[in-house]
Amino acid sequence: MKERIKNMLNFKKRSLVIIAAAVALAAVLIVGFAVNRADETSEKWDRRPMIMVDGQIYMDTGKQMAIEIDDSAILGTITSSVDGTEKPAKNGESNFGCEGAQYALYDGGLVVMLQNEWVFFEGEMKRGDKSPVSEIDFAGIQAKRLTQHLLDFAEIPRGEDLRAQEYSGDWDGDGKADRAYFSEEPTQAAGYNYRNRVVAELGNGERIIADSDELEQMSSWGGSFLIESADLTGDGQNEILLLIDLGGQGGRGSFGLYPYVRMGSGWMLMDAPHHGFPLALDYKDGRATVTSGDYSETVACDALLTAHYAASDNKYEREQVKGKDYHEEYAADSICDIALKQESGRTVVKVSQYVAGITGVHVDGLGYLVTTLSWSANGRYSVDDMYFVFMP
């Protein structure tokens, strides 16, 4: 516990070396995970130290405040704690222990008395909050996000660039062998002689057909897909998810998400963000703001981009973004990959979308927008979480 407190108080003093380390982390982790993935998928990662007060999450900044707080301003003390991998869920709860520590509101945030020093905690970034973050904070947070992203989306063998056209398995969970495949069918559509389909033939005789004419109003797809299954609605029966190549470029390609739910003796397409979420990108003064709906986050990426360009010896693109402002209304691909995870006793789907870089081309990509989706019993989806992973 003392060591955790010491690390938390030294948050501000961490070396800027972590900035360069975050860039190099991708290559290192990919190699390490290929060898140790079986052991590390169960590993949990500590979150940033935080506390909940009046329903608001406040997060450690590492800043020690040389201030005096009147006793009348003390709001309360830390009364309980959760593990460092979790977020506090009730007032007076922290994820770093220190029960009994006093806290008070200060300068738009919170100060907590730790080892006889007031330490400043800032309000958790809410959707719509475009406040910039520091280079050090960003690098540390992004290093953990990158680690988790690589764990989440490398857990299931995908094949090369999701290019498989046929799979076998038991997706409805009835113990009978199922088969799914990509096919071309004749069509009378103008300019095409065929249309594409993904067909899932279940062992009980049922079929799911995802037809390009019906889903996309176009007659040609890219030719590959991914199939997954899980009980998303909590009714004890598996839903079947198809991630289908729509023929786009960038990232792993432009893929659409189509989840099906059993209805009586057939299967019906569920509510879903079939093409993911649009994302706008603004770049100014070395900071990139990524915005999707009411989610917005500003990331201090200049130092990391500099290291990225230096490593790739890409002086041309580096000069393009130096000292320039940039705006792109459509900076994200459609869904590139999905991962099924167990959270709080239910199955959620994490969606990863490739984010184009500041020059507007995918080769200069910034990283990924990761969105966690869940489905209610009536088959309606909701967005549980959304965050950006810097991964140039």
Side-chain angles (χ1 to χ4, degrees):
M1 178 62 68
K2 290 182 179 179
E3 185 64 24
R4 175 175 288 181
I5 295 173
K6 179 180 178 181
N7 290 338
M8 181 182 63
L9 293 176
N10 287 332
F11 189 84
K12 182 180 179 181
K13 300 178 182 179
R14 291 172 185 166
S15 169
L16 287 173
V17 172
I18 194 173
I19 295 174
V23 177
L25 187 58
V28 174
L29 290 175
I30 290 172
V31 174
F33 293 156
V35 177
N36 299 317
R37 189 170 62 207
D39 296 330
E40 295 185 0
T41 50
S42 62
E43 185 175 356
K44 295 182 177 180
W45 293 87
D46 281 355
R47 293 177 179 268
R48 188 173 170 186
M50 59 186 75
I51 180 174
M52 176 176 281
V53 175
D54 292 334
Q56 165 75 34
I57 293 290
Y58 293 89
M59 309 182 75
D60 171 45
T61 67
K63 297 178 181 177
Q64 299 181 32
M65 311 298 293
I67 56 174
E68 295 291 335
I69 298 293
D70 190 88
D71 289 345
S72 62
I74 302 297
L75 294 179
T77 62
I78 297 175
T79 55
S80 63
S81 63
V82 295
D83 189 80
T85 62
E86 302 177 26
K87 292 180 69 171
K90 58 185 179 181
N91 290 326
E93 190 168 71
S94 77
N95 68 346
F96 56 88
C98 297
E99 286 86 345
Q102 295 180 323
Y103 54 80
L105 293 176
Y106 177 79
D107 194 26
L110 195 77
V111 287
V112 183
M113 178 60 73
L114 299 171
Q115 291 192 334
N116 298 317
E117 297 283 352
W118 289 110
V119 178
F120 186 69
F121 282 58
E122 63 185 355
E124 181 182 31
M125 183 172 288
K126 297 295 184 180
R127 294 185 175 184
D129 181 2
K130 297 185 179 181
S131 302
V133 296
S134 73
E135 296 277 359
I136 296 177
D137 287 352
F138 169 69
I141 293 169
Q142 287 295 317
K144 287 187 177 181
R145 286 184 183 178
L146 172 58
T147 299
Q148 192 59 54
H149 184 269
L150 293 172
L151 282 170
D152 286 341
F153 293 95
E155 61 178 5
I156 301 172
R158 305 294 191 184
E160 185 178 355
D161 291 331
L162 300 178
R163 302 232 178 255
Q165 293 189 336
E166 185 168 344
Y167 297 89
S168 60
D170 178 20
W171 300 295
D172 58 355
D174 65 357
K176 299 178 180 179
D178 305 328
R179 173 175 174 251
Y181 57 90
F182 179 88
S183 70
E184 297 178 351
E185 303 290 337
T187 183
Q188 300 300 316
Y192 296 94
N193 297 319
Y194 64 90
R195 68 174 185 253
N196 296 334
R197 289 179 171 179
V198 172
V199 180
E201 297 179 343
L202 305 183
N204 61 6
E206 296 175 344
R207 300 178 87 209
I208 296 174
I209 301 177
D211 191 297
S212 61
D213 277 359
E214 297 173 1
L215 297 181
E216 294 304 313
Q217 299 301 311
M218 63 183 185
S219 300
S220 178
W221 280 345
S224 61
F225 70 102
L226 174 73
I227 184 169
E228 301 271 11
S229 65
D231 180 10
L232 301 177
T233 60
D235 63 356
Q237 298 187 98
N238 280 358
E239 280 69 50
I240 294 179
L241 293 85
L242 296 174
L243 188 67
I244 305 173
D245 183 356
L246 305 179
Q249 300 298 320
R252 285 183 166 177
S254 182
F255 290 78
L257 176 64
Y258 301 97
Y260 288 82
V261 60
R262 185 192 296 275
M263 299 294 291
S265 59
W267 293 80
M268 179 179 294
L269 185 62
M270 281 206 306
D271 178 44
H274 300 301
H275 300 284
F277 299 90
L279 180 142
L281 171 66
D282 287 278
Y283 178 78
K284 184 177 182 179
D285 299 328
R287 298 181 184 275
T289 298
V290 289
T291 305
S292 181
D294 58 356
Y295 163 81
S296 183
E297 183 174 0
T298 300
V299 295
C301 60
D302 192 58
L304 291 172
L305 280 175
T306 299
H308 166 56
Y309 288 123
S312 61
D313 196 27
N314 196 333
K315 298 177 181 178
Y316 170 71
E317 289 189 355
R318 180 57 186 145
E319 291 302 316
Q320 278 192 297
V321 302
K322 269 189 176 180
K324 294 183 180 180
D325 298 346
Y326 175 79
H327 174 77
E328 172 55 57
E329 195 65 30
Y330 301 100
D333 267 348
S334 298
I335 294 168
C336 298
D337 200 1
I338 57 174
L340 276 63
K341 308 294 291 184
Q342 287 292 318
E343 292 186 1
S344 302
R346 61 177 180 170
T347 302
V348 299
V349 177
K350 289 193 174 184
V351 169
S352 181
Q353 296 175 244
Y354 191 84
V355 178
I358 296 164
T359 63
V361 293
H362 292 301
V363 71
D364 182 30
L366 279 183
Y368 296 87
L369 178 69
V370 179
T371 306
T372 302
L373 304 173
S374 63
W375 276 262
S376 61
N378 63 6
R380 305 295 293 181
Y381 84 88
S382 61
V383 177
D384 292 354
D385 191 24
M386 185 178 283
Y387 61 85
F388 172 74
V389 178
F390 188 94
M391 191 175 179

